[in-house]
Amino acid sequence: MVLGMLVRWWRPGFADRMDKPVRIASVVILVIVIAGAIVSNLELLLENFGSLAAITVLFCVLSLTIGYLVPRLLRVGPAQSIASSFEIGIHNATLAIVIAQTVIGSVEMSLPAAVYGVLMFFVALGFGFLIRRRGPAPERADAAADAMPAARAEAGEPAS
């Protein structure tokens, strides 16, 4: 991360050109690490998938929900609340797998992260559709809010 910030500071043009390739590479690395953890521990994973899936899906749903509702309760706008929700709900499973297997030296400790790494995207996708259907898109909501005083004035309603 520090290297990326330094490159952005020293060579902003290069950083802009490398933005898309680095994003693609990070997704590829994520998929490789998660796939490697799954393949190398497939038997152990299959034995524990049922219990791991339930708790990881619950954790993801709670993370996404809290990440959305707390900002909304604090009167943060819808777009920022959605961004907060996904920032909190999408966890770094790759980092958790690497730490569990290399630093801690436990394959078993990496299994929840591997399951989470696979399932979180599906849960987040579903959550995103629910949030999107729950209310108007942020741009439309902002435009509607801007239009409300004018519409009320035309209707003869007092301004609030």
Side-chain angles (χ1 to χ4, degrees):
M1 182 178 74
V2 172
L3 180 60
M5 291 171 65
L6 289 173
V7 168
R8 167 86 47 207
W9 182 57
W10 284 327
R11 304 275 190 226
F14 175 75
D16 289 340
R17 288 190 307 276
M18 293 305 296
D19 184 59
K20 188 173 182 178
V22 168
R23 287 178 190 263
I24 292 169
S26 67
V27 169
V28 169
I29 290 168
L30 171 71
V31 169
I32 289 170
V33 170
I34 292 173
I38 290 171
V39 169
S40 66
N41 303 296
L42 188 58
E43 187 176 315
L44 188 59
L45 183 63
L46 291 175
E47 289 173 18
N48 297 291
F49 188 81
S51 61
L52 291 175
I55 195 69
T56 56
V57 167
L58 178 63
F59 179 63
C60 189
V61 168
L62 286 173
S63 297
L64 289 164
T65 302
I66 290 168
Y68 178 76
L69 290 179
V70 169
R72 293 301 294 149
L73 289 172
L74 296 172
R75 301 182 191 271
V76 172
Q80 293 86 359
S81 297
I82 291 169
S84 171
S85 174
F86 282 97
E87 183 64 33
I88 292 169
I90 303 295
H91 300 281
N92 196 335
T94 307
L95 182 60
I97 291 167
V98 170
I99 289 172
Q101 291 188 2
T102 59
V103 176
I104 299 172
S106 172
V107 171
E108 291 82 13
M109 298 241 348
S110 71
L111 294 178
V115 172
Y116 194 89
V118 171
L119 296 178
M120 71 180 167
F121 295 108
F122 298 106
V123 175
L125 180 66
F127 187 84
F129 280 116
L130 287 175
I131 289 289
R132 186 174 175 188
R133 288 187 175 177
R134 192 167 186 277
E139 298 81 30
R140 290 190 302 249
D142 292 342
D146 291 342
M148 286 294 258
R152 285 187 179 152
E154 287 177 16
E157 294 180 21
S160 52

